[in-house]
Amino acid sequence: MLMTQAVATNMKSCAEALADKIAARTARVGIVGLGYVGLPLAVEYAKAGFSVTGIDLIESKIERINAGDSYVQDVASSDVDALVSAGQLRATTDFSVIAELDTINICVPTPLRKTKDPDMSFIVSACTEMAKYFHAGMLVILESTTYPGTTEEVVLPMLARPDLEVGRDFFLCFSPERVDPGNPKFQTRNIPKVVGGITPACTEMGACFYRQALDHVVPVSSTQVAEMVKLLENTFRMINIGLVNELAVMCDRMGINIWEVIDAAATKPFGFMPFYPGPGLGGHCIPIDPFYLSWKTRQSGIEARFIELAGYVNGQMPHFVVEKVQNALNESRLAVKGSRIHILGVAYKRDIDDVRESPALDIIHLLQRRGATVTFSDPYVPSIRVEDQLLMASDPDQAIPEADCTVVITDHSDVDYGLVVARSRLVVDTRNALRGITSEKITRL
Ligand SMILES: NC(=O)c1ccc[n+]([C@@H]2O[C@H](COP(=O)([O-])OP(=O)(O)OC[C@H]3O[C@@H](n4cnc5c(N)ncnc54)[C@H](O)[C@@H]3O)[C@@H](O)[C@H]2O)c1
């Protein structure tokens, strides 16, 4: 007599049954948190042939996905539409679907509190809901950036049950997310994926899962190593940007062009990697993640001095930019107070629409506090919130000629910078967007 599938599955170990489903792409994949990280991942797995269910708390995001409409710049609506129509991708606010899923990737936010302590509340609330429907034979992978130890110390106790043994009855991993929004060359699929599990069987299951949809998988020995990999990468960037920002301030004092220095240094074919100064750090990662590490090490009595120092130097850059604006206006016998200043670009980096932690917000606030009237334009951003005010983007064709000074904060590609200089009375360039343009109107960082 033929066995029913349920009986056959019970006879296999959980690991074998889940690995078989993953390899056959019949595993039902869940992604919790459908933002800049979660939505591209959901789309990649749906494209690889898996049935994917996205879970988020925000009803409007769910409606847009189910209507085939993407709200993430790097994900085409045509892809979402095709996958939803084909029944490969769906989204819901209802966590009870987890009872039917085989895998879950957690991609919820991990911000800092005002005190620079990690805010674990999103992970905790997602795991609280997940735990209600969690069952044997599941693979759970935390992708939210966090401090070393989170997967084992926070997530595992929330999922563990006396009847379920990790590494045997279910599988738990951490895998750092390395997505670089707006990068046309490296996207979810071709960025190597590091994964580490609570046990070797967990690592193996996580690696097996990622191999189905991503080009390169890098297994490591533990969740702590995987968590630390992400913090090393982002701390490396943050500290090097801090170094070059400090050098920019020094070069300014000495009348040396920092951009020319970096370009020349970058001709060295070994042992040097260029980093560039700017108006300050922005985004969800570089200004935040290193403080996860410093918070954790402080508990062991170790001060993360490089991180604190780079954080201080980078945090001073918006003030330095405001001083540059003041100095540029002084040349025309103007003061920031009473001047009209146009901020060109408010996204935290080139060619994206994300303003989270953008230094433009600090700079606008500082200029307003000094009495300036500030307008902004950005090809990707229609409005911003600065403290409690909602600012709508201006038409740059009108706002730039009317301003006493234009300040380039984001060097978006599709801006005619020659025209910007021609139409401006003064320009402060914090990104070297005006390289190659010579004009007495320009003040460079
Ligand atoms: N954006 C990046 O470039 C980037 C890069 C690498 C790593 N990361 C990390 O990835 C994680 C996610 O970042 P993101 O940029 O995608 O954030 P995001 O804010 O764009 O998306 C997070 C999503 O999670 C949802 N959410 C919040 N709490 C939830 C809950 N309890 N249950 C279900 N959904 C919930 C939010 O509504 C939101 O849609 C963070 O830890 C971040 O540090 C982000």
mmCIF file of all heavy atoms in Angstrom, residues 219-246:
data_model
loop_
_atom_site.group_PDB
_atom_site.id
_atom_site.type_symbol
_atom_site.label_atom_id
_atom_site.label_comp_id
_atom_site.label_asym_id
_atom_site.label_seq_id
_atom_site.Cartn_x
_atom_site.Cartn_y
_atom_site.Cartn_z
ATOM 1 N N PRO A 219 29.133 30.021 3.751
ATOM 2 C CA PRO A 219 28.764 29.550 5.103
ATOM 3 C C PRO A 219 29.854 29.896 6.108
ATOM 4 O O PRO A 219 31.042 29.832 5.780
ATOM 5 C CB PRO A 219 28.657 28.022 4.930
ATOM 6 C CG PRO A 219 28.793 27.754 3.464
ATOM 7 C CD PRO A 219 29.486 28.917 2.851
ATOM 8 N N VAL A 220 29.449 30.293 7.314
ATOM 9 C CA VAL A 220 30.417 30.523 8.396
ATOM 10 C C VAL A 220 29.977 29.693 9.603
ATOM 11 O O VAL A 220 28.871 29.149 9.618
ATOM 12 C CB VAL A 220 30.540 32.025 8.763
ATOM 13 C CG1 VAL A 220 31.136 32.812 7.617
ATOM 14 C CG2 VAL A 220 29.198 32.619 9.183
ATOM 15 N N SER A 221 30.863 29.652 10.631
ATOM 16 C CA SER A 221 30.683 28.624 11.651
ATOM 17 C C SER A 221 29.595 28.912 12.682
ATOM 18 O O SER A 221 29.203 28.018 13.419
ATOM 19 C CB SER A 221 32.010 28.405 12.380
ATOM 20 O OG SER A 221 32.360 29.605 13.037
ATOM 21 N N SER A 222 29.129 30.147 12.787
ATOM 22 C CA SER A 222 28.134 30.428 13.840
ATOM 23 C C SER A 222 27.319 31.665 13.483
ATOM 24 O O SER A 222 27.696 32.446 12.594
ATOM 25 C CB SER A 222 28.842 30.676 15.179
ATOM 26 O OG SER A 222 29.605 31.857 15.098
ATOM 27 N N THR A 223 26.216 31.847 14.211
ATOM 28 C CA THR A 223 25.409 33.060 14.004
ATOM 29 C C THR A 223 26.212 34.290 14.436
ATOM 30 O O THR A 223 26.111 35.347 13.820
ATOM 31 C CB THR A 223 24.105 32.982 14.814
ATOM 32 O OG1 THR A 223 24.414 32.655 16.169
ATOM 33 C CG2 THR A 223 23.158 31.938 14.252
ATOM 34 N N GLN A 224 27.024 34.141 15.488
ATOM 35 C CA GLN A 224 27.799 35.293 15.978
ATOM 36 C C GLN A 224 28.794 35.775 14.927
ATOM 37 O O GLN A 224 28.989 36.980 14.750
ATOM 38 C CB GLN A 224 28.565 34.938 17.266
ATOM 39 C CG GLN A 224 27.693 34.823 18.492
ATOM 40 C CD GLN A 224 27.068 33.439 18.654
ATOM 41 O OE1 GLN A 224 27.098 32.623 17.725
ATOM 42 N NE2 GLN A 224 26.496 33.167 19.803
ATOM 43 N N VAL A 225 29.451 34.823 14.236
ATOM 44 C CA VAL A 225 30.396 35.230 13.175
ATOM 45 C C VAL A 225 29.635 35.972 12.089
ATOM 46 O O VAL A 225 30.048 37.043 11.625
ATOM 47 C CB VAL A 225 31.143 34.006 12.591
ATOM 48 C CG1 VAL A 225 31.903 34.383 11.317
ATOM 49 C CG2 VAL A 225 32.120 33.440 13.604
ATOM 50 N N ALA A 226 28.490 35.427 11.673
ATOM 51 C CA ALA A 226 27.712 36.068 10.601
ATOM 52 C C ALA A 226 27.250 37.472 11.027
ATOM 53 O O ALA A 226 27.292 38.416 10.235
ATOM 54 C CB ALA A 226 26.507 35.198 10.241
ATOM 55 N N GLU A 227 26.837 37.604 12.285
ATOM 56 C CA GLU A 227 26.406 38.925 12.775
ATOM 57 C C GLU A 227 27.576 39.912 12.763
ATOM 58 O O GLU A 227 27.434 41.074 12.390
ATOM 59 C CB GLU A 227 25.848 38.790 14.199
ATOM 60 C CG GLU A 227 24.499 38.082 14.249
ATOM 61 C CD GLU A 227 24.152 37.458 15.607
ATOM 62 O OE1 GLU A 227 25.050 37.207 16.439
ATOM 63 O OE2 GLU A 227 22.962 37.204 15.836
ATOM 64 N N MET A 228 28.759 39.396 13.150
ATOM 65 C CA MET A 228 29.930 40.265 13.244
ATOM 66 C C MET A 228 30.443 40.682 11.866
ATOM 67 O O MET A 228 31.015 41.773 11.715
ATOM 68 C CB MET A 228 31.025 39.524 14.026
ATOM 69 C CG MET A 228 32.153 40.383 14.480
ATOM 70 S SD MET A 228 31.601 41.558 15.741
ATOM 71 C CE MET A 228 33.154 42.353 16.114
ATOM 72 N N VAL A 229 30.243 39.822 10.861
ATOM 73 C CA VAL A 229 30.694 40.136 9.490
ATOM 74 C C VAL A 229 30.067 41.465 9.043
ATOM 75 O O VAL A 229 30.750 42.358 8.539
ATOM 76 C CB VAL A 229 30.283 39.011 8.510
ATOM 77 C CG1 VAL A 229 30.406 39.457 7.060
ATOM 78 C CG2 VAL A 229 31.133 37.767 8.750
ATOM 79 N N LYS A 230 28.769 41.584 9.245
ATOM 80 C CA LYS A 230 28.070 42.800 8.820
ATOM 81 C C LYS A 230 28.607 44.029 9.556
ATOM 82 O O LYS A 230 28.799 45.098 8.972
ATOM 83 C CB LYS A 230 26.571 42.624 9.104
ATOM 84 C CG LYS A 230 25.730 43.816 8.816
ATOM 85 C CD LYS A 230 25.575 44.068 7.337
ATOM 86 C CE LYS A 230 24.778 45.324 7.065
ATOM 87 N NZ LYS A 230 24.733 45.648 5.664
ATOM 88 N N LEU A 231 28.879 43.846 10.865
ATOM 89 C CA LEU A 231 29.348 44.988 11.646
ATOM 90 C C LEU A 231 30.769 45.365 11.264
ATOM 91 O O LEU A 231 31.112 46.544 11.248
ATOM 92 C CB LEU A 231 29.226 44.692 13.140
ATOM 93 C CG LEU A 231 27.777 44.471 13.591
ATOM 94 C CD1 LEU A 231 27.714 44.202 15.081
ATOM 95 C CD2 LEU A 231 26.903 45.664 13.249
ATOM 96 N N LEU A 232 31.593 44.368 10.911
ATOM 97 C CA LEU A 232 32.943 44.688 10.423
ATOM 98 C C LEU A 232 32.834 45.507 9.129
ATOM 99 O O LEU A 232 33.478 46.542 8.974
ATOM 100 C CB LEU A 232 33.754 43.402 10.162
ATOM 101 C CG LEU A 232 35.059 43.618 9.381
ATOM 102 C CD1 LEU A 232 36.025 44.529 10.135
ATOM 103 C CD2 LEU A 232 35.752 42.290 9.069
ATOM 104 N N GLU A 233 31.997 45.045 8.207
ATOM 105 C CA GLU A 233 31.887 45.731 6.906
ATOM 106 C C GLU A 233 31.454 47.186 7.091
ATOM 107 O O GLU A 233 32.034 48.103 6.508
ATOM 108 C CB GLU A 233 30.855 45.014 6.028
ATOM 109 C CG GLU A 233 31.308 43.654 5.562
ATOM 110 C CD GLU A 233 30.195 42.815 4.939
ATOM 111 O OE1 GLU A 233 29.057 43.317 4.780
ATOM 112 O OE2 GLU A 233 30.453 41.658 4.623
ATOM 113 N N ASN A 234 30.433 47.393 7.917
ATOM 114 C CA ASN A 234 29.909 48.760 8.037
ATOM 115 C C ASN A 234 30.769 49.638 8.938
ATOM 116 O O ASN A 234 30.861 50.843 8.719
ATOM 117 C CB ASN A 234 28.456 48.723 8.511
ATOM 118 C CG ASN A 234 27.536 48.355 7.357
ATOM 119 O OD1 ASN A 234 28.005 48.136 6.246
ATOM 120 N ND2 ASN A 234 26.250 48.277 7.610
ATOM 121 N N THR A 235 31.422 49.011 9.932
ATOM 122 C CA THR A 235 32.324 49.792 10.774
ATOM 123 C C THR A 235 33.548 50.228 9.967
ATOM 124 O O THR A 235 34.021 51.361 10.094
ATOM 125 C CB THR A 235 32.731 48.959 12.011
ATOM 126 O OG1 THR A 235 31.549 48.585 12.702
ATOM 127 C CG2 THR A 235 33.624 49.739 12.939
ATOM 128 N N PHE A 236 34.014 49.335 9.119
ATOM 129 C CA PHE A 236 35.143 49.646 8.217
ATOM 130 C C PHE A 236 34.816 50.889 7.377
ATOM 131 O O PHE A 236 35.613 51.814 7.260
ATOM 132 C CB PHE A 236 35.369 48.425 7.321
ATOM 133 C CG PHE A 236 36.362 48.615 6.216
ATOM 134 C CD1 PHE A 236 37.724 48.516 6.451
ATOM 135 C CD2 PHE A 236 35.936 48.861 4.920
ATOM 136 C CE1 PHE A 236 38.642 48.673 5.421
ATOM 137 C CE2 PHE A 236 36.838 49.013 3.881
ATOM 138 C CZ PHE A 236 38.194 48.918 4.143
ATOM 139 N N ARG A 237 33.607 50.919 6.827
ATOM 140 C CA ARG A 237 33.206 52.069 5.994
ATOM 141 C C ARG A 237 33.075 53.330 6.845
ATOM 142 O O ARG A 237 33.562 54.386 6.479
ATOM 143 C CB ARG A 237 31.853 51.797 5.332
ATOM 144 C CG ARG A 237 31.964 51.296 3.922
ATOM 145 C CD ARG A 237 30.628 51.291 3.211
ATOM 146 N NE ARG A 237 30.294 52.581 2.614
ATOM 147 C CZ ARG A 237 30.935 53.147 1.614
ATOM 148 N NH1 ARG A 237 31.985 52.546 1.082
ATOM 149 N NH2 ARG A 237 30.562 54.310 1.139
ATOM 150 N N MET A 238 32.428 53.183 7.979
ATOM 151 C CA MET A 238 32.171 54.358 8.804
ATOM 152 C C MET A 238 33.478 54.997 9.286
ATOM 153 O O MET A 238 33.633 56.218 9.279
ATOM 154 C CB MET A 238 31.320 53.908 10.005
ATOM 155 C CG MET A 238 30.905 55.020 10.904
ATOM 156 S SD MET A 238 31.464 54.678 12.545
ATOM 157 C CE MET A 238 30.329 55.636 13.500
ATOM 158 N N ILE A 239 34.441 54.164 9.669
ATOM 159 C CA ILE A 239 35.695 54.698 10.200
ATOM 160 C C ILE A 239 36.529 55.325 9.075
ATOM 161 O O ILE A 239 37.123 56.382 9.250
ATOM 162 C CB ILE A 239 36.452 53.602 10.958
ATOM 163 C CG1 ILE A 239 35.717 53.353 12.274
ATOM 164 C CG2 ILE A 239 37.905 53.978 11.208
ATOM 165 C CD1 ILE A 239 36.223 52.195 13.079
ATOM 166 N N ASN A 240 36.539 54.690 7.926
ATOM 167 C CA ASN A 240 37.305 55.263 6.815
ATOM 168 C C ASN A 240 36.688 56.567 6.315
ATOM 169 O O ASN A 240 37.407 57.481 5.917
ATOM 170 C CB ASN A 240 37.425 54.248 5.680
ATOM 171 C CG ASN A 240 38.541 53.262 5.957
ATOM 172 O OD1 ASN A 240 39.713 53.623 5.888
ATOM 173 N ND2 ASN A 240 38.199 52.052 6.319
ATOM 174 N N ILE A 241 35.355 56.638 6.352
ATOM 175 C CA ILE A 241 34.711 57.907 5.972
ATOM 176 C C ILE A 241 35.040 58.971 7.026
ATOM 177 O O ILE A 241 35.308 60.125 6.693
ATOM 178 C CB ILE A 241 33.180 57.714 5.796
ATOM 179 C CG1 ILE A 241 32.901 56.821 4.584
ATOM 180 C CG2 ILE A 241 32.486 59.065 5.605
ATOM 181 C CD1 ILE A 241 31.447 56.358 4.453
ATOM 182 N N GLY A 242 35.063 58.551 8.305
ATOM 183 C CA GLY A 242 35.432 59.489 9.371
ATOM 184 C C GLY A 242 36.848 60.014 9.167
ATOM 185 O O GLY A 242 37.107 61.217 9.299
ATOM 186 N N LEU A 243 37.766 59.122 8.795
ATOM 187 C CA LEU A 243 39.155 59.527 8.566
ATOM 188 C C LEU A 243 39.235 60.554 7.440
ATOM 189 O O LEU A 243 39.879 61.591 7.561
ATOM 190 C CB LEU A 243 39.990 58.281 8.220
ATOM 191 C CG LEU A 243 41.416 58.557 7.748
ATOM 192 C CD1 LEU A 243 42.256 59.176 8.858
ATOM 193 C CD2 LEU A 243 42.077 57.260 7.263
ATOM 194 N N VAL A 244 38.543 60.265 6.347
ATOM 195 C CA VAL A 244 38.663 61.142 5.183
ATOM 196 C C VAL A 244 37.901 62.455 5.429
ATOM 197 O O VAL A 244 38.313 63.512 4.944
ATOM 198 C CB VAL A 244 38.239 60.380 3.901
ATOM 199 C CG1 VAL A 244 36.760 60.392 3.681
ATOM 200 C CG2 VAL A 244 38.995 60.872 2.699
ATOM 201 N N ASN A 245 36.845 62.409 6.251
ATOM 202 C CA ASN A 245 36.170 63.665 6.613
ATOM 203 C C ASN A 245 37.102 64.535 7.451
ATOM 204 O O ASN A 245 37.169 65.749 7.280
ATOM 205 C CB ASN A 245 34.876 63.381 7.378
ATOM 206 C CG ASN A 245 33.697 63.127 6.447
ATOM 207 O OD1 ASN A 245 33.680 63.589 5.300
ATOM 208 N ND2 ASN A 245 32.702 62.403 6.928
ATOM 209 N N GLU A 246 37.830 63.904 8.364
ATOM 210 C CA GLU A 246 38.768 64.689 9.177
ATOM 211 C C GLU A 246 39.870 65.276 8.297
ATOM 212 O O GLU A 246 40.261 66.433 8.447
ATOM 213 C CB GLU A 246 39.368 63.817 10.287
ATOM 214 C CG GLU A 246 40.174 64.637 11.261
ATOM 215 C CD GLU A 246 40.538 63.856 12.516
ATOM 216 O OE1 GLU A 246 41.295 62.877 12.389
ATOM 217 O OE2 GLU A 246 40.077 64.227 13.602
#
